[in-house]
Amino acid sequence: MSDFVRETIKNHAKSIGRLLLVHMLAVALGWAAYPLFLTTLAPHMSIAIPLTVFSVIASLVYAAMLVSQGNEYGIQDTKPYNWARYKGKGFALGAAVGLVIYILVLICIAIANRHFYVNHPQFPVESINNYIRMIFCMPFFWFFKLAGKGDIMPRVTALTALFPMVFISGFTGLGYLFGRSGVVVDFRPKKKRG
């Protein structure tokens, strides 16, 4: 195996790993507020409304993280390193991460369908199944609420589970194109000179 191929594989694997980390951070952000909303707002209104609003904010933060990460890859690829560079690299990396997430969601759907079927005469336990399905998709609660049905938790299906792949690929690819064009996307607060 040539150095070029080895470095290309290593670069792509490292980038995919970092994008998976960004997704897990977004999932943690999406789930972080759930207990707070449940304890404070559940007695007063449906939990779905504040959680939908919070998930929109989580999606915006996630999009900013993806654009920033893709931008870093694009800027890095303008330097004379010994690995593959192509215009669609950000989209390809995002799609690879989206595919991993999609497979994980399909596994969650299979587990929920096979092991979490409960029937209760008074309590709508369908949401337990939907919780399992939503594990890796929480930053997109708002999308699944619009696209599907479910009492408390919206239902994630094999078709709607493709949305995270499109989201990740699109924003990572956009950031990469910015970086390749020389546009630096930096969301960190600027330090004041004193």
Side-chain angles (χ1 to χ4, degrees):
M1 183 182 311
S2 70
D3 283 344
F4 178 78
V5 173
R6 190 178 306 112
E7 288 299 316
T8 297
I9 292 170
K10 192 165 38 170
N11 173 261
H12 280 67
K14 188 189 308 183
S15 300
I16 289 170
R18 288 181 74 186
L19 286 171
L20 276 170
L21 177 64
V22 168
H23 181 76
M24 291 307 153
L25 289 171
V27 167
L29 175 65
W31 281 104
Y34 196 75
L36 177 68
F37 283 129
L38 196 59
T39 57
T40 59
L41 299 175
H44 308 293
M45 69 174 75
S46 168
I47 191 70
I49 296 167
L51 197 53
T52 301
V53 172
F54 179 76
S55 70
V56 168
I57 295 167
S59 290
L60 292 173
V61 171
Y62 185 26
M65 290 190 305
L66 288 172
V67 168
S68 178
Q69 196 66 50
N71 185 258
E72 185 179 315
Y73 300 147
I75 291 170
Q76 190 179 41
D77 278 1
T78 60
K79 298 175 181 159
Y81 292 119
N82 190 25
W83 59 61
R85 294 184 253 305
Y86 47 96
K87 285 190 177 198
K89 186 175 179 180
F91 295 104
L93 291 172
V97 170
L99 181 62
V100 170
I101 301 304
Y102 182 68
I103 291 168
L104 290 173
V105 171
L106 289 180
I107 290 169
C108 287
I109 289 172
I111 289 170
N113 287 346
R114 185 170 188 126
H115 299 292
F116 287 94
Y117 180 76
V118 183
N119 194 0
H120 192 276
Q122 288 128 0
F123 183 67
V125 291
E126 177 187 277
S127 30
I128 293 172
N129 185 292
N130 292 349
Y131 273 104
I132 303 300
R133 291 167 171 256
M134 184 65 80
I135 287 173
F136 294 105
C137 297
M138 195 57 176
F140 309 113
F141 181 90
W142 60 270
F143 171 78
F144 294 107
K145 198 67 177 165
L146 290 174
K149 57 184 176 183
D151 290 338
I152 299 169
M153 292 297 280
R155 192 164 186 80
V156 179
T157 65
L159 182 62
T160 58
L162 289 170
F163 179 75
M165 183 187 300
V166 173
F167 186 90
I168 296 166
S169 180
F171 283 106
T172 305
L174 183 66
Y176 183 82
L177 291 175
F178 283 155
R180 283 283 301 250
S181 302
V183 177
V184 177
V185 178
D186 189 8
F187 295 109
R188 291 177 289 192
K190 304 289 186 226
K191 292 182 180 178
K192 294 182 180 179
R193 293 183 181 172

